[in-house]
Amino acid sequence: MDMFMDKLAQKLTAQEMIKANMAADAEEMSKLKGKTKEYSEALEQIKKLVEDGVGKLRAAKVDGKEIDRLVEESIAKINEIKSEDDRKDAETAAAVEALKAETIAALEAVKEQLGEKLEASNENVHKECVKVYRNVQAVVVEENNKQTESIKEAVTAAVKGFKGKLTAILIISGISLLLAAGSVALQVMEMLNFKFF
């Protein structure tokens, strides 16, 4: 029974491990989403700064060529930042997929381990049930033998008691038979007018 309880405790521990892994995965996913949000906010701030910078340059009345060059540099920086953000988004997506694959693999491994442990537990339970059955069977056979012996002794004692009584009854019956036969003989002789005295 202790082995069964140990197996049950191990199953509960495995379930708790699965829950803990899932919680850790959810926390990691939350962190990745937070970073993505931070990158998006940073990109928005950079766009705002560039727009402010372009507005200030135009307000400073720098010549048209210089403004165009600054605008192009700003657009290039924005595109660079955007490509960096896209790369980070791709890395985040790849990290999420890798985390998902690891979680699925871990769940499959835990599922397989639980299956093996359940099978081993079932085998152990079966073995224990067979042991209990054999023990009960041995006790029943032993008790049956004891009861048979006790019945045999009781019958033997009863037969011995009846034997003495039966002998007494046979003797009394024999005497009764002889007396009855004598009485019948006397009556027959009397009918035949035979007189003894």
Side-chain angles (χ1 to χ4, degrees):
M1 188 67 167
D2 290 336
M3 289 183 358
F4 179 72
M5 294 304 290
D6 290 343
K7 297 294 180 182
L8 185 61
Q10 287 176 355
K11 287 180 189 176
L12 292 176
T13 303
Q15 289 174 349
E16 290 171 1
M17 287 173 43
I18 291 171
K19 288 179 183 176
N21 284 342
M22 292 175 89
D25 292 345
E27 187 177 329
E28 186 68 27
M29 184 73 76
S30 175
K31 286 180 183 177
L32 290 173
K33 285 181 180 178
K35 285 183 181 180
T36 302
K37 187 176 179 182
E38 288 175 12
Y39 293 143
S40 297
E41 290 173 358
L43 181 61
E44 289 299 320
Q45 288 177 355
I46 291 171
K47 282 182 183 178
K48 190 174 179 182
L49 288 173
V50 169
E51 287 173 1
D52 288 346
V54 168
K56 286 179 183 177
L57 285 175
R58 286 192 178 148
K61 296 189 179 182
V62 179
D63 69 357
K65 288 183 182 180
E66 185 65 25
I67 290 176
D68 288 342
R69 184 184 63 76
L70 290 174
V71 167
E72 285 176 12
E73 284 178 4
S74 296
I75 289 172
K77 279 192 175 188
I78 289 172
N79 288 336
E80 188 179 307
I81 290 170
K82 186 178 178 190
S83 67
E84 180 69 22
D85 190 43
D86 289 343
R87 184 186 64 77
K88 287 186 179 181
D89 284 345
E91 286 176 1
T92 302
V96 167
E97 286 300 317
L99 188 60
K100 183 179 175 183
E102 286 178 16
T103 303
I104 289 171
L107 287 174
E108 288 296 322
V110 168
K111 182 179 175 183
E112 186 177 314
Q113 287 176 351
L114 283 176
E116 290 171 359
K117 288 184 179 184
L118 183 61
E119 189 175 316
S121 175
N122 286 342
E123 278 184 35
N124 288 335
V125 168
H126 177 70
K127 285 179 184 177
E128 291 299 317
C129 288
V130 168
K131 285 180 186 176
V132 169
Y133 173 77
R134 287 182 181 160
N135 289 341
V136 168
Q137 188 178 25
V139 168
V140 167
V141 167
E142 186 178 315
E143 283 298 315
N144 193 14
N145 288 339
K146 285 180 182 178
Q147 287 180 355
T148 303
E149 282 297 317
S150 117
I151 291 171
K152 188 176 178 183
E153 288 173 6
V155 168
T156 304
V159 167
K160 283 182 182 178
F162 284 132
K163 211 175 199 183
K165 291 177 184 176
L166 189 59
T167 305
I169 290 172
L170 282 175
I171 292 171
I172 292 172
S173 296
I175 293 171
S176 296
L177 184 66
L178 287 174
L179 288 175
S183 175
V184 170
L186 282 176
Q187 284 182 359
V188 168
M189 288 182 160
E190 217 176 274
M191 287 168 77
L192 293 175
N193 286 329
F194 185 73
K195 298 221 177 204
F196 289 107
F197 305 96

